[in-house]
């Protein structure tokens, strides 16, 4: 009997560490080759760590929310045969026995040369007293039952994104048959299960007082969202400008174009038109298509227009980026929007597709409300918010007529963009949207 040590892999892109967002096993669990053991997050991309061997888990080297350095020991597995070379296994054990400073859970970076947290050599290798965890469907379990729900026999294989979707839909993943490698449940498996009319787990009938509380550790994408929002709020003095826009003619044009679209063309929403209007306006006001390094005191104006599209996903808010929007037609913009939104919601978007934007559009669709105060995506200097379209009576000078109206709520970094320039910027977008033929006129 030997031991196999699995270390935090090098996920590329110069990443030196990653946050542990999910364990799929616990000490004592049997594992098989290609079984997903854990999930880690770098920036906004989630990476699953599979097992390269068959065996039994002996020890876990981190807790959910910990930041683990690349090449740091992550877990040990007992295997048949010799396992890894004795020197490797012993060096890892020696690392584990070294005393560590009190860790700052979920925040401080863990360096490979510091080792990882482990009970003393005289204590059995076992996890700390478990905190409330979740069963395969995502429902919280008491601490004492954590092991029951995470064993290899009962816990189905699925990515974090699939588990979150199942939790929100009230689906117990133990009832879903997986078609992926080693029985792994895919998004398609979950979609087919729901489409067959499978019913969510029913809530208990009747009225009853509830006295329990639930503590949820902020980890993974949610923690990164929180950090970005704190950074933007603390460092950027926002000015928000709201303007009412008549989109009646644009909606008529959009309906006409959708009616005549080709089979391989996507359905047009208002966003591709707004993107083209944004590109034309930024050509006239390049100071808004910029990023601000406030530590160095340098504003960088970008020739390329890389538009971030704030997108709600099962895991939280992400911002996939339509690159070089200035070189895309309405149809090309719509196709890229659809592709990126699907990738973001399925958790398959690449890191480069989730970074590098120079300005952002945010829209809540039909839930867009009357007015919003969007927060700038640091280090950008502007964000354009789309509110919902409503039909209202508008006075045309002699009578009230029904018109489709929409508000644009846009925020600017007031250190870089003056109020006058912000107003001119939004007014130019308004003019293009209200006379949509102008969007297609070049020069």
């Amino acid at each position: 009997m030997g031991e196999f040590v699995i270390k935090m892999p090098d996920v590329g892109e110069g990443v030196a560490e990653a946050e542990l967002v999910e364990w799929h096993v616990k000490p004592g669990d049997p594992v098989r080759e290609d079984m997903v053991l854990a999930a880690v997050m770098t920036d906004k991309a989630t990476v699953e760590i599979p097992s390269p061997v068959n065996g039994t888990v002996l020890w876990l080297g981190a807790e959910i929310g910990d930041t683990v350095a690349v090449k740091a020991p992550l877990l040990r597995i007992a295997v048949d045969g010799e396992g890894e070379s004795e020197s490797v296994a012993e060096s890892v054990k020696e690392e584990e026995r070294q005393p560590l400073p009190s860790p700052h859970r979920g925040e401080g970076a863990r360096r490979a040369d510091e080792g990882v947290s482990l009970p003393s050599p005289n204590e059995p290798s076992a996890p700390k007293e478990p905190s409330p965890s979740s069963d395969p469907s995502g429902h919280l379990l008491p601490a004492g039952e954590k092991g029951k729900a995470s064993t290899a026999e009962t816990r189905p294989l699925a990515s974090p994104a699939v588990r979150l979707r199942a939790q929100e839909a009230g689906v117990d993943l133990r009832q879903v048959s997986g078609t992926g490698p080693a029985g792994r449940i895919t998004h398609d498996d979950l979609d087919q299960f729901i489409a067959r009319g499978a019913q969510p787990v029913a809530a208990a009938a009747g009225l009853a007082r509830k006295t329990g509380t639930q503590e949820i550790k902020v980890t993974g994408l949610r923690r990164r969202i929180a950090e970005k929002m704190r950074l933007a709020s603390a460092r950027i003095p926002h000015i928000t400008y709201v303007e009412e826009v008549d989109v009646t003619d644009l909606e008529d044009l959009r309906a006409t174009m959708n009616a005549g679209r080709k089979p391989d063309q996507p359905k047009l929403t208002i966003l591709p038109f707004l993107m083209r209007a944004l590109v034309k306006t930024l050509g006239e006001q390049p100071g808004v298509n910029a990023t601000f390094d406030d530590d160095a005191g340098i504003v960088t104006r970008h020739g390329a227009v890389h538009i971030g599209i704030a997108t709600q996903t099962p895991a939280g808010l992400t911002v996939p980026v339509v690159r070089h929007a200035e070189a895309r037609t309405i149809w090309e913009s719509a196709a890229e929007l659809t592709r990126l939104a699907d990738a973001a919601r399925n958790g398959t978007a690449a890191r480069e597709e989730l970074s590098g934007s120079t300005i952002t559009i945010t829209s809540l669709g039909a839930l867009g409300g009357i007015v919003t105060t969007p927060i700038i995506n640091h280090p950008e200097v502007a964000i354009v918010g789309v509110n919902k379209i409503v039909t209202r009576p508008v006075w045309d000078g002699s009578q009230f007529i029904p018109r489709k109206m929409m508000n644009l709520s846009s925020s600017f970094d007031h250190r870089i963009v003056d109020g006058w320039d912000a107003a001119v910027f939004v007014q130019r977008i308004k003019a293009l949207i209200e006379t949509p033929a102008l969007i297609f006129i070049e020069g």
Side-chain angles (χ1 to χ4, degrees):
M1 182 72 69
E3 291 184 5
F4 192 94
V5 179
I6 297 178
K7 299 183 179 182
M8 176 65 71
D10 184 352
V11 295
E13 300 289 339
V15 174
E17 61 192 20
E19 180 187 350
L20 179 68
V21 294
E22 187 172 13
W23 276 119
H24 291 195
V25 295
K26 68 177 183 63
D29 282 355
V31 298
R32 58 188 180 276
E33 188 175 353
D34 293 329
M35 173 180 173
V36 177
L37 304 174
V40 298
M41 175 171 283
T42 61
D43 293 337
K44 295 177 182 177
T46 300
V47 179
E48 294 180 335
I49 300 177
S51 174
V53 296
N54 298 325
T56 303
V57 177
L58 294 177
W59 165 83
L60 304 181
E63 295 182 355
I64 302 298
D66 284 351
T67 303
V68 185
V70 169
K71 297 184 180 179
L74 197 57
L75 71 163
R76 296 205 320 266
I77 298 176
V79 297
D80 293 334
E82 296 181 358
E84 290 186 314
S85 66
E86 183 176 343
S87 61
V88 173
E90 288 302 316
S91 66
V92 173
K93 291 179 181 178
E94 183 61 31
E95 277 187 5
E96 295 161 2
R97 286 194 287 268
Q98 293 178 5
L100 294 174
S102 176
H104 188 100
R105 292 297 180 195
E107 195 167 315
R110 315 188 71 181
R111 296 182 174 86
D113 58 359
E114 291 178 338
V116 287
S117 178
L118 184 71
S120 68
N122 297 326
E123 296 176 359
S125 294
K128 295 182 180 180
E129 184 66 24
S131 59
S133 184
S134 60
D135 67 10
S137 65
H139 301 292
L140 286 179
L141 292 174
E145 294 184 22
K146 179 180 179 182
K148 298 178 183 178
S150 59
T151 60
E153 293 85 0
T154 60
R155 186 180 180 90
L157 296 178
S159 69
V162 171
R163 293 185 188 282
L164 185 58
R165 285 189 58 208
Q167 178 182 351
E168 293 177 341
V171 172
D172 186 345
L173 284 180
R174 289 171 294 187
Q175 301 175 6
V176 182
S177 298
T179 60
R184 181 179 176 187
I185 299 170
T186 66
H187 286 280
D188 288 340
D189 296 331
L190 182 58
D191 291 338
Q192 292 176 15
F193 180 81
I194 296 174
R196 287 196 299 266
Q199 295 299 318
V201 179
L207 300 176
R209 296 179 63 180
K210 297 181 180 180
T211 58
T213 60
Q214 176 183 353
E215 293 184 356
I216 301 174
K217 191 169 186 178
V218 179
T219 63
L221 179 57
R222 178 50 54 188
R223 187 168 79 179
R224 278 163 173 72
I225 293 172
E227 291 170 351
K228 290 279 285 185
M229 293 300 101
R230 181 185 63 178
L231 177 65
S233 178
R235 302 184 73 162
I236 301 177
H238 285 61
I239 176 175
T240 299
Y241 182 93
V242 182
E243 179 58 277
E244 185 178 54
V245 182
D246 188 335
V247 295
T248 306
D249 293 341
L250 176 60
E251 284 295 273
D252 291 342
L253 174 61
R254 185 170 71 88
T256 300
M257 294 178 69
N258 278 330
R261 65 190 174 100
K262 299 176 182 178
D264 61 340
Q265 290 179 319
K267 185 176 182 179
L268 294 174
T269 66
I270 197 171
L271 289 182
F273 295 93
L274 179 58
M275 292 169 63
R276 291 304 305 164
L278 197 58
V279 165
K280 290 182 73 70
T281 304
L282 291 173
E284 301 167 3
Q285 288 185 267
V288 181
N289 188 45
T291 51
F292 181 34
D293 183 345
D294 41 6
D295 290 327
I298 297 175
V299 176
T300 302
R301 293 185 176 184
H302 300 273
V305 180
H306 300 323
I307 302 179
I309 306 295
T311 304
Q312 191 65 35
T313 74
L317 182 68
T318 62
V319 186
V321 181
V322 177
R323 297 186 177 277
H324 291 289
E326 76 279 3
R328 298 180 186 271
T329 66
I330 289 284
W331 295 107
E332 291 169 344
S333 297
E336 184 67 355
L337 272 174
T338 301
R339 185 189 71 79
L340 287 171
D342 289 343
R345 294 188 180 104
N346 294 333
T348 60
R351 294 183 69 240
E352 59 270 17
E353 294 174 327
L354 297 171
S355 61
S357 55
T358 59
I359 191 170
T360 295
I361 295 175
T362 179
S363 171
L364 293 175
L367 299 176
I370 300 174
V371 173
T372 52
T373 54
I375 297 176
I376 297 169
N377 186 19
H378 183 276
E380 298 165 24
V381 301
I383 183 170
V384 177
V386 179
N387 297 116
K388 66 182 179 181
I389 298 173
V390 296
T391 300
R392 293 205 302 269
V394 176
W395 182 255
D396 69 352
S398 59
Q399 61 179 339
F400 284 103
I401 57 175
R403 303 293 289 179
K404 294 178 180 178
M405 307 299 294
M406 179 188 77
N407 286 346
L408 286 179
S409 301
S410 305
S411 295
F412 303 85
D413 186 336
H414 213 344
R415 299 170 298 179
I416 307 302
V417 182
D418 294 333
W420 175 268
D421 292 330
V424 170
F425 179 80
V426 175
Q427 288 296 332
R428 177 56 173 157
I429 294 177
K430 169 185 170 77
L432 291 169
I433 290 177
E434 291 191 336
T435 310
L438 295 175
I439 294 175
F440 299 90
I441 298 176
E442 299 299 330

